[in-house]
Amino acid sequence: MKVALIMGSDSDLPRLKPCLDSLQSLDIACEARVLSAHRTPAALVAFLKEATEDGVKVFLCAAGGAAHLAGVVAAHTDLPVIGIPMDNAPLGGLDALLATVQMPAGIPVATVAVGGGGPANAALFAARILAVSNEGLAARLVQFREDQAAKVMKKNEKLQAELQS
Ligand code: RP5
């Protein structure tokens, strides 16, 4: 049970920490690489082959600006591809969002939100794909959801206590 996270630049890495953390907390192995659709096209295609032979089941692709990474990866594989548009200056990620999400019919890319919960949701979406055929992971996702709900309820209780004091 393994995924690959490909980022177009190491400048993307700090904002991908929630993605890596979420994968780790769900016990999903991840191969992370800096590879660019534009700057290292041959190395990118070589990695896709190697990763597929190595058992990777989902590709997560993070890129900013003219973000063609997820689309190019999807063009080279039949495995699920999740695009993570990065919120770079000067256009704030709208450029990356449109470049990632507006795929032509026949080559699908599932695209998460720009910034915010996008990177973490990419990990959770990959987990849901893998959980279809992995009961242990499905159980961990149920536990994750319960823990998340419990945290929100605790925050609500705190708010109610503050409002009444
Ligand atoms: C994209 O260009 C990368 O994914 C990154 O978000 C952006 C800028 O890259 P650097 O100039 O910081 O290497 O391909």
Side-chain angles (χ1 to χ4, degrees), residues 7-12 15 36 38-39 62-67 69 86 88:
M7 61 203 85
S9 171
D10 63 343
S11 64
D12 299 320
R15 284 161 295 156
S36 163
H38 305 125
R39 293 166 173 162
L69 184 60
M86 303 305 298
N88 293 353

Side-chain angles (χ1 to χ4, degrees), residues 93-107:
L94 184 58
D95 44 359
L97 172 63
L98 297 179
T100 305
V101 78
Q102 287 296 108
M103 288 297 293
I107 305 293

Side-chain angles (χ1 to χ4, degrees), residues 36 46 54 84 111 136:
S36 163
D54 200 28
I84 311 172
T111 305

Side-chain angles (χ1 to χ4, degrees), residues 2-96:
K2 198 190 288 190
V3 304
L5 172 61
I6 308 172
M7 61 203 85
S9 171
D10 63 343
S11 64
D12 299 320
L13 182 58
R15 284 161 295 156
L16 294 172
K17 197 166 177 307
C19 179
L20 290 164
D21 289 348
S22 296
L23 290 169
Q24 194 177 21
S25 72
L26 289 165
D27 206 16
I28 297 172
C30 176
E31 294 284 333
R33 295 285 188 282
V34 177
L35 288 167
S36 163
H38 305 125
R39 293 166 173 162
T40 63
L44 174 64
V45 173
F47 173 67
L48 297 179
K49 187 168 181 293
E50 176 195 314
T52 305
E53 287 168 2
D54 200 28
V56 162
K57 298 293 183 217
V58 183
F59 288 103
L60 296 87
C61 302
H68 299 131
L69 184 60
V72 168
V73 169
H76 284 88
T77 183
D78 290 319
L79 292 170
V81 176
I82 303 170
I84 311 172
M86 303 305 298
D87 52 343
N88 293 353
L91 301 185
L94 184 58
D95 44 359

